[in-house]
Amino acid sequence: MSGGAADEKPSVAMDYKSFGESVTEDDKRTAIVIRDKSSVSTHAHVVECKGTGGASIVGRIIEDINNMGHTEIILKGDGEPALTQVMEAVKRQRAHS
């Protein structure tokens, strides 16, 4: 009989996080954070811009997911358009590799 928790695909969540220290200067940086919910493995990459316009963020995320050891996953995000763009690119490239 199937349908138990062991049959569920691992869930990998993604989101953007901005950080900086100064309140008077613009020292803000943005990172994309990827978290494997089952192992709590967390990866983060500073990005030049949100979306797929940054250098090779999609390839780096795919490498992170592969290092987590999962072949099939459920990608989750908050629906932000730039994040959705990255998630769709990850799905497309993983499907063709």
Side-chain angles (χ1 to χ4, degrees), residues 63-75:
E63 185 176 326
D64 292 339
I65 293 169
N66 291 342
N67 288 336
M68 292 173 190
H70 303 309
T71 53
E72 292 187 36
I73 60 167
I74 297 171
L75 276 178

Side-chain angles (χ1 to χ4, degrees), residues 23-36:
V23 282
T24 58
E25 296 179 34
D26 184 15
D27 70 341
K28 299 283 187 259
R29 298 292 179 257
T30 300
I32 191 163
V33 181
I34 305 98
R35 185 171 187 137
D36 177 357

Side-chain angles (χ1 to χ4, degrees), residues 29-74:
R29 298 292 179 257
T30 300
I32 191 163
V33 181
I34 305 98
R35 185 171 187 137
D36 177 357
K37 294 211 174 198
S38 61
S39 71
V40 196
S41 172
T42 305
H43 303 262
H45 302 283
V46 174
V47 294
E48 296 172 27
C49 61
K50 291 184 176 185
T52 57
S56 59
I57 194 60
V58 173
R60 292 162 82 189
I61 292 170
I62 291 171
E63 185 176 326
D64 292 339
I65 293 169
N66 291 342
N67 288 336
M68 292 173 190
H70 303 309
T71 53
E72 292 187 36
I73 60 167
I74 297 171

